[in-house]
């Protein structure tokens, strides 16, 4: 399944001009500050803005162009909004069934039982939706959206109304949907941690325009983009579990140019794991330490040096085909005589598992 659109939307403050695409089993995050046009774009894709012009195409089927416009109910989509718009007079199961009934039988590819089990909703099926927590309501909304067997899933800041404790839980369920159903997803957010954890591709919007678009791991480490200016600037790696040392509680995660050793024993060999390394958790040494408690040390080349105020410097480091970030003091930069092209060693003090 593949989706692509090229849309123009007129707004009082600015016009929106966006080209966007997504493939089967892929999450494309639409990221940017509040008011940049993210939700307007998603509404246009869904057919909720009849004044939007351009083309929308799903699996070669035209939903919109200069001569025709399919209304929302004729577009094969599932939509999860910021607020859980559930029908209060129906219980959980009835809400899910209500959505399922709107899809033609010959287009139903996903069983309700599968959705319910995946989202762990069985204990809630007979409950009134008004008695559910925010996280539970969003799980029902996810089930309702998937129950229609959509060709495309749209998620408009689905965690905005969920408390911090349950956000990670919902992200886990969305990841499960991605893995199980192979549906392309467009995920709107202004929370970079959600984007880093979930998305394969990233579209960065600014005042209605696409400032950057590409693989999430690539864009998060681009020094000309705003992500690296944040306190939690980080590099993201997609890895595979190669082996475990159970007696130490360690797992070895390989990527294109090396491996991370992490203190996590609950991973399965060959499992795919996305990890994050914060720039502030990477230090630099000129020679490889002969004896160190740090397990993850890599030979790297300094690709760029970006001042961040007077006291800090951001280093973009290359490990083969991968990029690592390091934030060090300006004094350390000077004391070590670091330059673009310098070959040094990066000491990674912490690695976080994202999924």
């Amino acid at each position: 399944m593949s989706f692509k659109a090229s849309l123009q939307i007129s707004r009082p403050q600015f016009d929106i001009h966006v080209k966007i695409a997504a493939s089967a089993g892929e999450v494309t995050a639409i990221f940017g500050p509040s008011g940049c046009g993210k939700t307007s774009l998603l509404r246009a894709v869904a057919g909720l803005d009849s004044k939007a012009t351009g083309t929308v195409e799903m699996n070669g089927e035209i939903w919109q162009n200069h001569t025709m416009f399919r209304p929302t109910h004729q577009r094969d989509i599932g939509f999860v909004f910021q607020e859980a718009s559930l029908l209060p007079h129906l219980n959980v199961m009835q809400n899910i069934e209500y959505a399922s009934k709107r899809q033609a039988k010959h287009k139903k590819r996903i069983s309700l039982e599968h959705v319910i089990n995946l989202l762990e909703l069985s204990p809630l099926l007979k409950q009134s939706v008004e008695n559910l927590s925010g996280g539970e309501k969003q799980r029902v909304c996810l089930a309702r959206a998937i129950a229609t067997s959509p060709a495309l899933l749209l998620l408009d800041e689905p965690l905005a109304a969920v408390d911090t404790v349950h956000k990670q839980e919902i992200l886990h369920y969305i990841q499960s949907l991605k893995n199980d159903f192979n549906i392309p997803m467009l995920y709107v957010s202004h929370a970079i941690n959600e984007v880093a954890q979930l998305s394969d591709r990233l579209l960065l919007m600014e005042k209605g325009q696409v400032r950057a678009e590409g693989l999430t791991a690539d864009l998060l480490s681009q020094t000309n983009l705003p992500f690296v200016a944040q306190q939690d600037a980080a590099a993201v790696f997609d890895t595979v579990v190669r082996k475990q040392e159970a007696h130490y509680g360690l797992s070895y995660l390989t990527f294109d140019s090396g491996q991370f050793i992490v203190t996590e024993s609950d991973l399965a060999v060959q499992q795919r794991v996305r990890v994050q390394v914060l720039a502030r958790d990477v230090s630099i040494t000129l020679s490889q330490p002969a004896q160190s408690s740090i397990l993850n040390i890599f030979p790297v080349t300094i690709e760029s040096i970006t001042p961040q105020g007077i006291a800090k410097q951001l280093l973009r480091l290359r490990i083969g085909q991968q990029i690592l970030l390091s934030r060090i003091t300006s004094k350390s930069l000077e004391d070590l005589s670091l330059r673009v092209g310098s070959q040094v060693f990066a000491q990674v003090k912490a690695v976080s598992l994202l999924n």
Side-chain angles (χ1 to χ4, degrees):
M1 291 186 283
S2 63
F3 161 83
K4 60 181 179 180
S6 177
L7 288 162
Q8 299 81 45
I9 308 162
S10 294
R11 288 180 50 172
Q13 304 91 338
F14 50 79
D15 290 340
I16 298 171
H17 297 272
V18 173
K19 289 185 178 179
I20 188 169
S23 299
E26 192 174 79
V27 176
T28 298
I30 304 168
F31 181 86
S34 297
C36 71
K38 304 185 299 295
T39 295
S40 296
L41 172 61
L42 216 63
R43 287 177 55 83
V45 169
L48 294 170
D49 184 354
S50 59
K51 294 181 180 179
T53 60
T55 61
V56 180
E57 182 179 326
M58 185 73 216
N59 293 331
E61 184 179 8
I62 302 298
W63 287 354
Q64 177 178 340
N65 61 19
H66 66 285
T67 62
M68 62 93 69
F69 182 92
R70 282 194 179 183
T72 302
H73 69 276
Q74 293 180 2
R75 302 190 185 199
D76 196 3
I77 62 169
F79 207 135
V80 180
F81 297 90
Q82 292 182 32
E83 298 292 336
S85 304
L86 298 170
L87 299 172
H89 61 288
L90 301 180
N91 65 25
V92 169
M93 187 64 188
Q94 290 167 337
N95 265 275
I96 299 171
E97 288 176 332
Y98 182 86
S100 177
K101 290 174 183 176
R102 66 175 280 266
Q103 183 62 282
K105 286 186 178 180
H106 71 279
K107 287 190 174 183
K108 289 184 178 179
R109 299 173 287 104
I110 299 171
S111 74
L112 291 188
E113 182 180 6
H114 189 175
V115 176
I116 290 166
N117 289 338
L118 187 67
L119 296 174
E120 299 180 303
L121 289 172
S122 294
L124 306 177
L125 293 179
K126 294 182 179 181
Q127 289 193 31
S128 166
V129 296
E130 295 188 310
N131 296 330
L132 303 180
S133 68
E136 290 170 339
K137 287 179 179 178
Q138 282 303 76
R139 281 160 57 193
V140 178
C141 288
L142 286 168
R144 186 178 61 177
I146 292 293
T148 64
S149 299
L152 177 68
L153 183 60
L154 309 177
L155 301 106
D156 186 12
E157 301 201 45
L159 306 186
V162 179
D163 61 77
T164 303
V165 174
H166 292 98
K167 282 186 178 181
Q168 193 59 41
E169 177 184 274
I170 300 300
L171 281 171
H172 165 75
Y173 286 123
I174 295 173
Q175 183 73 45
S176 297
L177 294 176
K178 171 190 171 184
N179 295 340
D180 273 44
F181 298 126
N182 211 34
I183 300 170
M185 303 184 193
L186 302 184
Y187 186 95
V188 164
S189 179
H190 63 264
I192 193 59
N193 62 312
E194 296 174 23
V195 170
Q197 178 169 339
L198 190 64
S199 69
D200 303 287
R201 301 189 66 82
L202 173 58
L203 185 145
L204 174 62
M205 289 187 65
E206 190 174 280
K207 294 184 178 179
Q209 308 300 310
V210 176
R211 180 172 173 182
E213 189 274 335
L215 294 175
T216 299
D218 291 345
L219 265 58
L220 291 180
S221 61
Q222 293 290 334
T223 55
N224 63 332
L225 297 177
F227 309 114
V228 298
Q230 298 186 19
Q231 179 65 24
D232 290 339
V236 169
F237 294 75
D238 288 313
T239 71
V240 176
V241 180
R242 182 174 66 87
K243 70 173 185 176
Q244 294 176 322
E245 288 187 320
H247 56 291
Y248 290 128
L250 297 177
S251 293
Y252 290 72
L253 315 180
T254 60
F255 58 97
D256 287 345
S257 311
Q259 71 177 12
F260 291 110
I261 304 173
V262 300
T263 54
E264 178 61 61
S265 58
D266 292 335
L267 302 174
V269 174
Q270 298 303 316
Q271 181 178 344
R272 294 182 179 276
V273 180
R274 176 169 286 189
V275 303
Q276 174 179 268
V277 179
L278 296 174
R280 65 170 180 259
D281 288 334
V282 179
S283 63
I284 302 297
T285 180
L286 297 180
S287 58
Q288 186 167 18
Q291 295 176 315
S292 174
S293 64
I294 296 177
L295 296 176
N296 297 298
I297 302 174
F298 304 96
V300 298
T301 301
I302 300 178
E303 193 170 89
S304 68
I305 302 173
T306 305
Q308 294 189 324
I310 298 174
K312 301 288 185 180
Q313 302 284 332
L314 184 81
L315 309 186
R316 180 178 158 95
L317 311 170
R318 181 163 291 281
I319 315 176
Q321 299 301 311
Q322 303 285 135
I323 295 296
L324 192 63
L325 298 176
S326 173
R327 183 176 283 131
I328 63 173
T329 65
S330 297
K331 185 178 189 309
S332 295
L333 184 78
E334 183 176 313
D335 289 349
L336 296 175
S337 300
L338 299 179
R339 302 287 185 270
V340 172
S342 295
Q343 294 184 339
V344 295
F345 290 86
Q347 301 183 118
V348 178
K349 293 173 281 186
V351 180
S352 301
L353 276 62
L354 292 180
N355 55 6

